[in-house]
Amino acid sequence: MNEVQEKDNFWLYIVLGVVLVAGAVVMVKSSEHDKYVTAAKNIAADSSNSAYRNDVLHSGGNKK
């Protein structure tokens, strides 16, 4: 008559899954950030010779 009740690990699995997915997202975002460091440096060094100039982007594509 001794019945051993198993512990339900449902919420543990849910929390573990959320932590793993969040960790993967953070890792991908941080590696994506490193790709654009060189481009950002080049734009800052010579912003007048860039396809990403602020005056072009914010005036609807019309150059000054």
Side-chain angles (χ1 to χ4, degrees), residues 14-27:
I14 295 295
V15 169
L16 185 62
V18 168
V19 168
L20 288 174
V21 168
V25 168
V26 168
M27 287 174 51

Side-chain angles (χ1 to χ4, degrees), residues 2 6 11 13-14 26 31 38 40-42 48 54-55:
N2 290 336
E6 277 191 43
W11 290 111
Y13 295 141
I14 295 295
V26 168
S31 70
T38 305
K41 277 197 250 179
N42 291 339
S48 65
N54 283 335
D55 60 338

